[in-house]
Amino acid sequence: MEVDGDSGQTIKESKSKKYVIDTNALHFPREGMELSHPLKDGMIEDWDIFENLLDHLYKKHVRSDPLQHPVLMSEVPWNSRNKRERLTELMFEHYNIPAFFLCKNAVLSAFANGRATGLVVDSGATQTTATPVHDGYVLQQGIVKSPIAGDFITMQCKELLDNLKIDVTPTYLVESKEVVKDEQPPIFKKRSVPNVTKSWHNYMVKKVIQDFQASVLQVYDTTPDEDELSQLPTALYEFPNGYHQEFGQERIKIPEGLFDPSNAEGFEGNTVLGVTSVVNTSVGMCDIDIRPAMYSSIILAGGNTLINGFSDRLMRELQTRTQNSTKLKIVGSNSTSERRFSSWIGGSILASLGTFQQMWISKQEYEESGKACVERKCP
């Protein structure tokens, strides 16, 4: 059974589960609604959710028969062969599409920035990766990953707010609020909502903390000492319930863990790589002849790289860790959406090229060679 609302959401019952799919629908409190994600480590983990998501996309956004449109999908460079083959089989057998292609998201991010060769530094929610791309192909031996990313920063912010005894009330619980002075207890009226699940409540709290991150945090040019920290300007932030406070040293100390994980809380003595080390390690694993091309075209992607001062700090640290003769250039759009969705933009550029049309896996090729053809056609 499907119930379609005006907002374009889909509520679908499938195999005794009811799926609520859509960005707007996700933020509406519903009793007993658990939050799930079809991906794990960038690869499809829950195929049932993924298939329901595709059904929703075709019905509400594409609004056309899948038979009419070839499909280009992005994938992480470490995607496994069996998942690639299963995805190819799903698209041809279930959706009956005319043509299909899988492309590495690092390659698409490079294309989005007008380059076919470069080092793509992608820092998203779960991990920071450096992926060397040469002439449109990923160099698998040079991929370096680190768990220091957006979720790590969110966790650090949550600990800070807990230590400061600041109660993070998500937006859905606030019906109205009154203006209060700095650091005074908030005065607000709670909204009456259904009995929501812990996973959904935590997601809504995380959205508030992520807004706090984007508004308050700043990466300093160098590793700051205590004297410098005390002289830095503060940033004011107002929480959804009306409580507001100025944040000083904390807004510099938290993102410091991206570049120096040894100083980050919970990572003391750990060998986890910071962003600069991830870049240098990745370039060092490439052939010596293409290292200059990597350093001269470092492409930033992912929402975590949008933290204020991220690219300046990365450039400054690379200058101190490389030879003076090394030409360094960091490329990255200043637009939030372009940095976050660079794979999508690169995909639209690639699919519109005349030379790309011969690279599609056609329906005929799939019927002749089977799902294994994805390994040959989409390296």
Side-chain angles (χ1 to χ4, degrees):
M1 181 186 74
E2 291 191 4
V3 182
D4 302 326
D6 295 331
S7 63
Q9 71 189 53
T10 296
I11 302 174
K12 184 175 179 180
E13 291 183 3
S14 170
K15 296 177 184 175
S16 77
K17 286 184 180 178
K18 182 189 281 186
Y19 291 101
V20 180
I21 303 168
D22 196 81
T23 309
N24 292 334
L26 196 63
H27 293 89
F28 185 80
R30 286 182 173 83
E31 189 171 354
M33 182 172 73
E34 294 284 356
L35 201 72
S36 299
H37 201 293
L39 304 182
K40 185 179 180 182
D41 194 25
M43 298 182 287
I44 301 167
E45 189 73 17
D46 192 318
W47 289 88
D48 189 35
I49 294 178
F50 182 73
E51 197 172 319
N52 277 280
L53 190 60
L54 285 178
D55 289 343
H56 169 79
L57 287 172
Y58 272 116
K59 184 172 183 181
K60 292 295 178 185
H61 298 284
V62 179
R63 296 186 180 182
S64 180
D65 189 343
L67 184 63
Q68 305 295 322
H69 303 282
V71 174
L72 166 67
M73 284 191 177
S74 67
E75 62 171 351
V76 288
W78 50 89
N79 199 8
S80 64
R81 175 170 181 163
N82 66 323
K83 289 184 188 294
R84 301 179 90 216
E85 290 182 352
R86 185 171 176 180
L87 180 58
T88 306
E89 187 176 36
L90 174 70
M91 296 311 294
F92 278 116
E93 298 289 348
H94 184 74
Y95 293 99
N96 202 28
I97 59 173
F100 183 65
F101 194 79
L102 264 178
C103 191
K104 306 284 188 281
N105 52 18
V107 173
L108 297 177
S109 293
F111 288 161
N113 287 278
R115 285 165 166 73
T117 297
L119 185 75
V120 179
V121 180
D122 190 339
S123 186
T126 56
Q127 58 195 3
T128 296
T129 59
T131 308
V133 177
H134 189 255
D135 287 338
Y137 291 95
V138 167
L139 305 179
Q140 294 283 348
Q141 80 276 9
I143 298 172
V144 178
K145 297 192 282 185
S146 171
I148 302 290
D151 285 349
F152 163 77
I153 297 296
T154 304
M155 181 184 71
Q156 298 280 301
C157 289
K158 180 77 169 68
E159 287 180 5
L160 166 69
L161 298 174
D162 287 345
N163 292 338
L164 293 173
K165 304 279 192 294
I166 296 174
D167 181 34
V168 181
T169 306
T171 314
Y172 80 94
L173 281 174
V174 180
E175 186 171 305
S176 61
K177 59 185 177 182
E178 294 181 20
V179 178
V180 294
K181 291 182 179 180
D182 280 11
E183 299 187 33
Q184 291 299 309
I187 303 171
F188 69 100
K189 183 182 177 184
K190 269 196 172 185
R191 180 179 285 142
S192 177
V193 294
N195 188 22
V196 299
T197 60
K198 189 175 181 181
S199 68
W200 187 82
H201 173 78
N202 289 342
Y203 169 76
M204 295 303 288
V205 170
K206 187 177 178 182
K207 296 295 284 184
V208 176
I209 297 173
Q210 286 174 338
D211 184 65
F212 171 82
Q213 284 175 232
S215 307
V216 173
L217 299 190
Q218 181 180 344
V219 178
Y220 198 58
D221 286 349
T222 56
T223 304
D225 55 36
E226 290 300 322
D227 291 337
E228 287 177 313
L229 284 173
S230 62
Q231 294 171 14
L232 289 171
T234 58
L236 181 69
Y237 185 77
E238 182 177 333
F239 291 88
N241 61 1
Y243 177 82
H244 50 95
Q245 179 179 326
E246 301 239 352
F247 294 88
Q249 298 185 12
E250 309 92 349
R251 72 191 195 93
I252 304 295
K253 283 182 176 178
I254 289 175
E256 200 51 37
L258 287 169
F259 293 88
D260 188 7
S262 61
N263 290 334
E265 200 170 319
F267 279 85
E268 296 89 344
N270 205 306
T271 55
V272 173
L273 296 176
V275 177
T276 314
S277 299
V278 166
V279 171
N280 278 331
T281 306
S282 179
V283 174
M285 293 168 79
C286 296
D287 191 282
I288 196 165
D289 295 334
I290 65 167
R291 288 177 193 172
M294 294 294 126
Y295 274 127
S296 63
S297 188
I298 297 170
I299 299 152
L300 297 183
N304 204 44
T305 62
L306 288 161
I307 295 176
N308 192 15
F310 184 96
S311 56
D312 294 337
R313 173 65 177 274
L314 180 59
M315 173 63 90
R316 194 176 288 268
E317 289 210 352
L318 286 171
Q319 285 171 340
T320 61
R321 296 195 196 182
T322 55
Q323 296 177 348
N324 293 335
S325 58
T326 305
K327 182 188 173 187
L328 294 168
K329 186 173 183 181
I330 293 179
V331 183
S333 171
N334 291 326
S335 163
T336 304
S337 55
E338 284 185 35
R339 189 83 67 88
R340 287 177 63 207
F341 306 121
S342 56
S343 293
W344 289 81
I345 297 165
S348 68
I349 293 169
L350 179 63
S352 64
L353 296 175
T355 51
F356 175 71
Q357 305 314 312
Q358 62 195 16
M359 296 174 70
W360 290 106
I361 302 172
S362 67
K363 178 78 171 175
Q364 183 182 350
E365 279 180 282
Y366 170 76
E367 288 173 346
E368 289 173 359
S369 308
K371 59 187 179 182
C373 63
V374 70
E375 287 295 307
R376 177 173 50 85
K377 293 278 286 188
C378 310

